Amino acid sequence: MAATAFAAASPPAAVLSGSRLPAPAPGSASHRAPVLLLPPPPRRSFSSLPISLSSSQPRADHCRFSSLRARATSSSEESSGSGDELLADLKEKWDSIENKSTVLLYGGGAIVAVWLSSVVVGAINSVPLLPKIMELVGLGYTGWFVYRYLLFKDSRKELVNDIEALKKKIAGTGE
C-alpha cells in the first residue's frame, strides 16, 4: 500500500517489491518504459526418486542411465541378396505390365487425391466447431453400423454376403 502511494506521488518509476527503481533522467535521449528485473529462476534438482516396486535394487540405481548400446548386424550377403531379389521382382512385375501409362496415371491420381484430402481435412479442422460435430457424426454412424451389421448373427452373415458380392462385382467375375 505504501509502495503504491509512493509510486503515485513520485515521477514515473518502476516499483518492485517495495523498492523503487530510478527513473530515466528528464533530459535523456531515450525515454523508455521501466524494465522489470527479476531474479533468475531457481534451479530444479531431480533428487526425488520414483517409488521402487521391488526392494531388491538399491535406490541409487534408479538415477543411473545404462550405457548399454545395441548394434544390429547382419551379413552383407543376405542384405544385398534380398535387395537384389526385391529389385528383380519389381523389374519383372513392371515389365509384365502392358499399360504403363495407365499405372502411372492412377498412381499420380492417388497422390493428388491424398494431397487434396489432406487440404480438405485441414480446412475443416480450422473451422471452430466443425471438427467436434464431425466426431459426433462419426461416432453416431459407427454406433449405427455396429447395431445394424455386427450385433446379430443374421446381420453379420448379410454383411459378409454384401462384401462378397461387391468383390465379385469389382473383379468382374460375378453376374
Side-chain angles (χ1 to χ4, degrees):
M1 189 83 164
T4 56
F6 177 73
S10 66
V15 176
L16 179 65
S17 302
S19 63
R20 181 173 173 251
L21 296 175
S28 67
S30 65
H31 193 68
R32 297 182 189 166
V35 177
L36 183 63
L37 300 174
L38 297 174
R43 291 187 162 219
R44 295 181 184 230
S45 64
F46 297 103
S47 62
S48 61
L49 297 175
I51 298 172
S52 175
L53 297 178
S54 66
S55 61
S56 62
Q57 283 185 329
R59 288 180 62 100
D61 288 342
H62 290 289
C63 291
R64 281 192 238 146
F65 291 104
S66 174
S67 61
L68 176 66
R69 294 184 186 194
R71 180 179 295 169
T73 60
S74 67
S75 67
S76 60
E77 297 169 2
E78 290 178 9
S79 63
S80 65
S82 64
D84 292 340
E85 288 177 17
L86 179 65
L87 289 176
D89 288 344
L90 286 176
K91 187 175 182 183
E92 181 182 322
K93 287 181 182 180
W94 180 253
D95 291 339
S96 68
I97 296 174
E98 294 177 14
N99 296 331
K100 291 180 175 69
S101 61
T102 304
V103 171
L104 291 175
L105 185 67
Y106 282 154
I111 290 171
V112 168
V114 167
W115 173 76
L116 188 63
S117 64
S118 170
V119 169
V120 168
V121 167
I124 287 173
N125 202 21
S126 67
V127 177
L129 287 177
L130 205 52
K132 295 297 179 185
I133 292 172
M134 297 300 267
E135 271 185 51
L136 287 175
V137 168
L139 285 172
Y141 182 78
T142 302
W144 173 83
F145 185 85
V146 167
Y147 177 76
R148 172 69 177 88
Y149 289 110
L150 302 178
L151 206 54
F152 305 109
K153 186 176 183 177
D154 295 337
S155 60
R156 284 193 297 267
K157 286 182 182 177
E158 180 185 345
L159 178 64
V160 169
N161 292 336
D162 288 346
I163 291 173
E164 291 298 324
L166 184 62
K167 283 182 186 177
K168 288 179 182 177
K169 193 178 197 181
I170 291 174
T173 59
E175 303 172 303

